[in-house]
Structure formats: C-alpha cells, structure tokens
Amino acid sequence: MNGIAGGDATNDPALRSWLTVPETSDFPIQNLPFGMFTSHDDPVPRAGVAIGDHIVDLVAVHESGVMRFPSADMLRGSLNELFEFGVGPVRKRLSELLTAGNKELGRAANRAITSMAGARMHMPFSVGDYVDFYSSEQHATNLGRMFRPDDPPLLPNWKHIPIGYHGRASTIVPSGTEVRRPSGQRWGPDGPTFGPSARLDIELEVGFFTSRSTELGTSLPVDAAHDLMAGVVLVNDWSARDIQAWEYQPLGPFLGKSFATSVSPWVVTMEALAPFWVDAPAQDPPPLPYLAAEPNRALDLHLEVEINGVVICRTDFKEMYWTMGQQLAHVASNGTALRSGDLYASGTVSGSGPGRFGSLLELSWNGSQPIDLGNGETRTFLEDGDTVTIRGWCQLDHGPRIGFGECTSTIVPAGE
Ligand code: CA
C-alpha cells in the first residue's frame, strides 16, 4: 500500500543524513526520488536515488551486498522493473542507510555515492502509453472564453468526465533535451501553409507514472488507483498553437502536441508525498459513482515557471478540478489494460488570478497582451533560444522541502 495520508518514519521532518544536504535542496533525506542516470563512461543508464547534490547508485549498492536486489539487470535501462518489484521497502532501507549515525555502507559509500553534477539524467521509465488530461477548470474556462466567447465557457461534458486524449510516448524526453521548433500546417489569410510554428507555447503540467500493469478487462476504483501510481514528475506539454488550432477539429490534439513532451527526471514517490494530500475542491454536480472518492484527495504541490530566469507563473496543483485518482479510474473504467510506466499528465495547471495561468496562450490572452519579462523584453509566444524551466515542491510550514528538481528545455530553430 502506498497510503495517501500521513506517512511513516521516512517522512519524519527531524530526520537528518550523514551526507551534507544544502538547506534549500529539493532532495532532503525525506524525499529520496528515483531516476535513471549515466556517469563516467558507462553508456547504460542505471537506477539512482537523489539526496542533496548526490546520487546513490543502486547498482553499486547492490554489488556492495549492503542491500541486494533480485538482479543488477533490473536496475539498468529504466525504472519499470524496479517499481514493479516495489520501491517502498527499497526507499525505507535507503533512508536507514543514509540517516546520520548509520555506518553500514562503510567503504562501499565511495563507489555508491556519486556527484549529481557529473551525471546525465535519462528518461526514468520506458513509457508505453501516454495520456494527457484537461483537468483545470480555470484553464478550460479561459480557453472557452477565448475561442467560444458567445457560449458557456465549459462544454456540457466537462464536469462529468475527466477529459483527455492519448498522446505520443515516443517523443517524451527528459529535462535538458532541446526542443526543436516544429513545422506544420496552419491556416492563414490565403489558405493553409506549411512552415515553422509561430505560436510555440508551454503547458505547465504534473504527471504520474504507473508502477504496475493491469489485466485487460479490469477496472479500478478511485481509491485503488493510488496504489498503482509509482510517483510524480513535472511535465511541459509543448504546444504549437497555430498547428493545433487548424488541425484539432473534430478529433482533438495531434501533431501540434506530439513533437515533444518534457518531464523532470526524478520520480518523487507516493511514499515521499504521503504527508501532502489535502481535500480536493468540491465537485458540483457530484461525479458518477465510478468517479466518486470519499475523501477525494489532491496533492498540495506548489509550481512555478520561468522563461530565461524570469518567473512568469506561480500556481498550485491542489486547485485542479479532477484528481489523479479520478483520472486513472476513468482511464481504466472501460477495461483497458494499463501498463507499468504509463504516463498520465494532468492538463495545464491554471489557478485563478493574474500570473497563475500555466500557458503563454492564457498569460498573453491569445497573444493580445504581451508578457513583460521585466528585462526590457516581452513575449507572447516562445522565441528560438528561450529557456523554459518548471519547478515544483511540497512543503508543510517549515518542514522539509520535497522538491521535484527542474523540468527545463531550450528552444532551437526549426530544421530544414
Ligand atoms: Ca496539455
């Protein structure tokens, strides 16, 4: 059981490590997120756990004999097999090994603990299927107001169904991967043309991976859905608005989205997030029974977006109308088979009020109000060379900061 309330000894705010962890780190000993990294000359990504500015190399820990896994192979390539095995006990044991006073790693620590600065991060999971939702009422309302000003902003199904679409798994990339401006077909005054997108945008999102597969023909209640979640990452669902606007009717997002989706590389586990669940916003009308959860829990996660070092958005994930549990229960409700390593993204996270919208489309109100970057520059949509960085963290009062690291990418010009 992951449990979505409270936590255990690994979440104790008083825990300290014998490793030096900077006060402002996203990765205190209470976090211990999992990722895939390479360092030195080993070309095969291996599983690691972040603490402060260090990575604990799980292959080296296994080889030291201090903690044994069924095989070293399950720690290479992707996190899929490790999460199917179960990371709760692994994280608990690592918490013990890293706690101040523990000397069990001994001389093995030299090999097992490596500098984050010398490592390259890779995709944490091998992603089989990718779903993107549309679960922020504010975001859906903003888009309705922009594009259907004479109608009610929310379509009639929106408060009954967690709306989503199946995206493209092959173009999900880890933070740090450059994003090439896509070319595509868009509508213009003289009819359709093909060329580089002129309205390249971000979507600030939060995603979760699934840890296990399910049998075709089975569904999943909202409460059980949490037990299938491996952990949470930050997502940037890059969107070419001009391509999207011309292609999306009648079947929804397609090539305006599938050129790149970025994720943060460290998977913050459900175990680390246990203390940060709060009541989700009230739902009116009440959802159908298969989507009902009592209580319906949302993650209290703070988010911000920077362009070229300037913060353009600060918002909160807990304001989303549809919760992660409801999203996964909805996907499984028709009996589809879920796979280990599926990625489910929340949809653009937009809060209410200025500066709390999670896309440039909304922040610039469809390009009509340029965003002042405060350094003599403005933006409506992204320019080549722009670097977008998403950050996120959970924190109670002055407790440990359970951070997600960065989801960052730079835009490079369209290809020939
Ligand atoms: Ca999206």
Side-chain angles (χ1 to χ4, degrees), residues 340-355:
S340 149
D342 282 357
L343 176 64
Y344 297 89
S346 61
T348 308
V349 183
S350 288
S352 53

Side-chain angles (χ1 to χ4, degrees), residues 130 132-134 139 165 203 205 237 239 257 345-348:
Y130 164 46
D132 190 22
F133 285 96
Y134 191 59
H139 175 70
Y165 68 96
E203 288 192 343
E205 304 199 14
D237 174 27
S239 300
K257 298 279 194 177
S346 61
T348 308

Side-chain angles (χ1 to χ4, degrees), residues 318-387:
K318 68 179 178 184
E319 294 176 26
M320 299 293 274
Y321 189 88
W322 293 105
T323 62
M324 298 195 294
Q326 290 177 315
Q327 290 168 344
L328 195 57
H330 183 62
V331 169
S333 64
N334 67 354
T336 192
L338 308 177
R339 290 200 272 191
S340 149
D342 282 357
L343 176 64
Y344 297 89
S346 61
T348 308
V349 183
S350 288
S352 53
R356 294 176 64 76
F357 300 157
S359 68
L360 300 180
L361 180 69
E362 294 163 271
L363 289 165
S364 73
W365 209 254
N366 198 18
S368 68
Q369 299 167 16
I371 303 153
D372 186 355
L373 295 186
N375 53 4
E377 292 195 43
T378 60
R379 287 290 182 282
T380 48
F381 295 96
L382 294 170
E383 297 184 5
D384 292 344
D386 282 348
T387 297

Side-chain angles (χ1 to χ4, degrees), residues 41-237:
D41 49 1
D42 184 353
V44 181
R46 50 175 66 197
V49 167
I51 178 164
D53 298 330
H54 314 280
I55 299 175
V56 182
D57 178 338
L58 295 189
V59 173
V61 171
H62 170 75
E63 286 169 351
S64 77
V66 175
M67 176 165 54
R68 296 291 289 183
F69 294 86
S71 76
D73 279 351
M74 69 181 280
L75 304 169
R76 294 198 171 101
S78 75
L79 292 174
N80 295 51
E81 214 179 320
L82 177 59
F83 272 79
E84 283 174 71
F85 170 69
V87 295
V90 174
R91 183 175 161 281
K92 201 170 269 186
R93 178 70 176 130
L94 284 168
S95 175
E96 288 170 8
L97 292 174
L98 294 167
T99 293
N102 188 297
K103 294 184 168 36
E104 287 179 81
L105 268 179
R107 283 165 55 190
N110 288 337
R111 277 195 60 223
I113 294 174
T114 184
S115 158
M116 203 176 270
R120 179 171 162 229
M121 299 306 298
H122 298 263
M123 272 302 291
F125 280 91
S126 171
V127 181
D129 283 294
Y130 164 46
V131 168
D132 190 22
F133 285 96
Y134 191 59
S135 290
S136 158
E137 182 173 3
Q138 187 68 52
H139 175 70
T141 300
N142 286 344
L143 268 61
R145 285 194 182 126
M146 250 178 253
F147 298 117
R148 293 177 285 102
D150 300 327
D151 297 320
L154 292 180
L155 290 167
N157 58 4
W158 197 89
K159 289 204 167 181
H160 298 281
I161 297 178
I163 299 291
Y165 68 96
H166 282 96
R168 187 160 183 85
S170 70
T171 40
I172 301 174
V173 293
S175 172
T177 308
E178 290 176 337
V179 170
R180 185 165 298 283
R181 181 179 298 274
S183 289
Q185 188 179 138
R186 58 272 153 96
W187 178 254
D190 302 318
T193 57
F194 183 92
S197 170
R199 289 164 69 90
L200 183 55
D201 198 357
I202 61 164
E203 288 192 343
L204 164 65
E205 304 199 14
V206 173
F208 64 87
F209 290 101
T210 41
S211 57
R212 286 182 284 116
S213 304
T214 60
E215 293 281 326
L216 186 63
T218 56
S219 59
L220 198 65
V222 176
D223 297 336
H226 282 265
D227 295 331
L228 232 75
M229 294 175 193
V232 176
V233 291
L234 307 173
V235 179
N236 190 343
D237 174 27

